[in-house]
Amino acid sequence: MDMPGHGDHGGHGGHEDARPMCAMNMALNWSTDNVCVLFDFWRITSGMSLVFSCAAVFALGYLYELSRTRVRSWELAQLTGRARLETPLVADGLGRSARWMRAVMYGLLVAYSYSLMLIFMTYNGFLILAVIGGAIAGHYAYATDALGAVR
């Protein structure tokens, strides 16, 4: 018993999108044809959109390192010049509001880093190199010494 429009999913008029679906690759590729970066509206469809996307991804990697350094500097500033509070609830020397702020900043950094990971997982070689290049440049510019003190 064959129902009309059931096997071929016909009868769904009005769902045709003028834009093709995002390219989904599960292997390293160097494609510039319809690569979606994080969002459906951020697509690589030409050489120029590739250049702009790589520049944006490089900047995201660079700014991630800046963000990590700024958060670390803020954490150190919270502990500098202040007597450490040694209680079981505040073992790191931070007060309650500072601990909440630290937790929120940590959560934002986690979300930021996962966004970079999702860009990496497009498996597009150009975008992978842009993430790595931005991280290298940002780390070079904002790296901390071996003891964790910000330069």
Side-chain angles (χ1 to χ4, degrees):
M1 178 190 231
D2 191 24
M3 299 181 76
H6 186 264
D8 62 358
H9 300 286
H12 295 283
H15 287 8
E16 294 181 25
D17 193 359
R19 294 168 56 163
M21 290 185 62
C22 296
M24 296 294 293
N25 293 299
M26 295 305 291
L28 183 65
N29 67 84
W30 300 92
S31 176
T32 60
D33 184 33
N34 207 31
V35 177
C36 289
V37 184
L38 285 183
F39 305 102
D40 186 50
F41 62 83
W42 185 0
R43 291 179 184 236
I44 298 174
T45 56
S46 66
M48 188 57 76
S49 62
L50 173 67
V51 169
F52 285 128
S53 292
C54 285
V57 169
F58 182 94
L60 288 172
Y62 183 89
L63 293 173
Y64 175 74
E65 292 298 324
L66 171 62
S67 300
R68 279 181 1 117
T69 301
R70 294 293 167 105
V71 168
R72 180 71 176 146
S73 295
W74 178 85
E75 289 173 337
L76 291 172
Q78 295 301 305
L79 295 172
T80 303
R82 175 192 294 200
R84 290 183 53 90
L85 304 172
E86 296 296 339
T87 68
L89 296 176
V90 191
D92 60 3
L94 295 175
R96 186 176 301 264
S97 64
R99 287 176 56 89
W100 273 110
M101 180 60 79
R102 182 181 188 192
V104 168
M105 288 189 292
Y106 175 78
L108 292 172
L109 283 176
V110 167
Y112 196 159
S113 66
Y114 278 132
S115 297
L116 290 173
M117 179 203 65
L118 288 173
I119 293 171
F120 205 98
M121 289 182 63
T122 63
Y123 295 103
N124 183 287
F126 297 113
L127 296 177
I128 289 171
L129 291 175
V131 169
I132 293 170
I136 289 170
H139 187 76
Y140 178 79
Y142 303 109
T144 59
D145 66 18
L147 298 175
V150 177
R151 281 194 271 166

